[in-house]
């Protein structure tokens, strides 16, 4: 049966990783209290005016998915970590950079709020 909630996702993770996932979830909730929790792409996801961030537990790392603009905005601070186009891997054998994650969530929240403001500003305009 497919995982439906972040609680279920965390519960199925290895015991030693659950606390990390709970703390990561709490950090995201603190920075984006109005965000909705969801499971998208089989990943815990926070949504507010579009996807904010996703995360996932793997055998040796926590995957954190923040879109390419987030990688670019924090490229110096993320340089020590393995990265993909819009993702970063935080190794489980190192301290989780919760302060950095907190700042990334704030950045993504601001991006999504700006995107909504810009989209909303054009909604009633005639372009002919």
């Amino acid at each position: 049966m497919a995982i439906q909630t972040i609680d279920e996702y965390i519960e199925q993770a290895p015991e030693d990783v659950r606390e990390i996932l709970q703390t990561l979830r709490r950090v995201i909730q603190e920075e984006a209290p109005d965000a909705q929790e969801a499971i998208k792409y089989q990943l815990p996801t926070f949504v507010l005016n579009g996807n904010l961030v996703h995360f996932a537990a793997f055998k040796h790392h926590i995957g954190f998915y923040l879109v390419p603009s987030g990688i670019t905005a924090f490229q110096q601070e993320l340089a020590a970590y393995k990265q993909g186009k819009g993702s970063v891997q935080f190794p489980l054998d190192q301290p989780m950079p919760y302060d950095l994650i907190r700042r990334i969530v704030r950045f993504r929240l601001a991006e999504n709020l700006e995107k909504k403001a810009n989209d909303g500003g054009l909604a009633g305009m005639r372009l002919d």
Side-chain angles (χ1 to χ4, degrees):
M1 187 162 131
I3 292 173
Q4 302 292 317
T5 67
I6 293 178
D7 285 326
E8 289 175 11
Y9 184 92
I10 292 172
E11 186 59 35
Q12 61 83 40
E15 190 173 338
D16 59 331
V17 177
R18 288 181 201 152
E19 185 177 336
I20 294 168
L21 295 175
Q22 287 287 19
T23 303
L24 179 57
R25 179 191 203 181
R26 188 171 53 252
V27 164
I28 296 167
Q29 289 170 329
E30 288 169 0
E31 294 306 319
D34 295 330
Q36 299 296 310
E37 292 188 351
I39 298 291
K40 292 189 175 191
Y41 315 106
Q42 301 171 343
L43 302 173
T45 303
F46 284 81
V47 180
L48 185 62
N49 302 322
N51 293 338
L52 284 177
V53 294
H54 311 271
F55 62 87
F58 294 93
K59 187 173 184 174
H60 299 290
H61 70 274
I62 298 294
F64 191 65
Y65 304 88
L66 59 152
V67 307
S69 62
I71 295 287
T72 301
F74 293 89
Q75 85 183 54
Q76 285 186 319
E77 292 161 286
L78 294 172
Y81 302 102
K82 186 173 181 181
Q83 300 171 33
K85 183 177 179 182
S87 65
V88 62
Q89 295 180 9
F90 298 123
L92 289 171
D93 64 354
Q94 297 177 20
M96 266 314 114
Y98 294 117
D99 182 58
L100 175 58
I101 291 167
R102 193 176 290 283
R103 288 183 284 124
I104 289 169
V105 172
R106 277 188 225 134
F107 171 82
R108 289 289 302 123
L109 183 60
E111 263 191 331
N112 279 14
L113 291 174
E114 181 179 335
K115 181 175 77 174
K116 180 184 178 195
N118 289 339
D119 290 349
L122 295 176
M125 292 179 62
R126 291 184 54 177
L127 301 175
D128 54 346

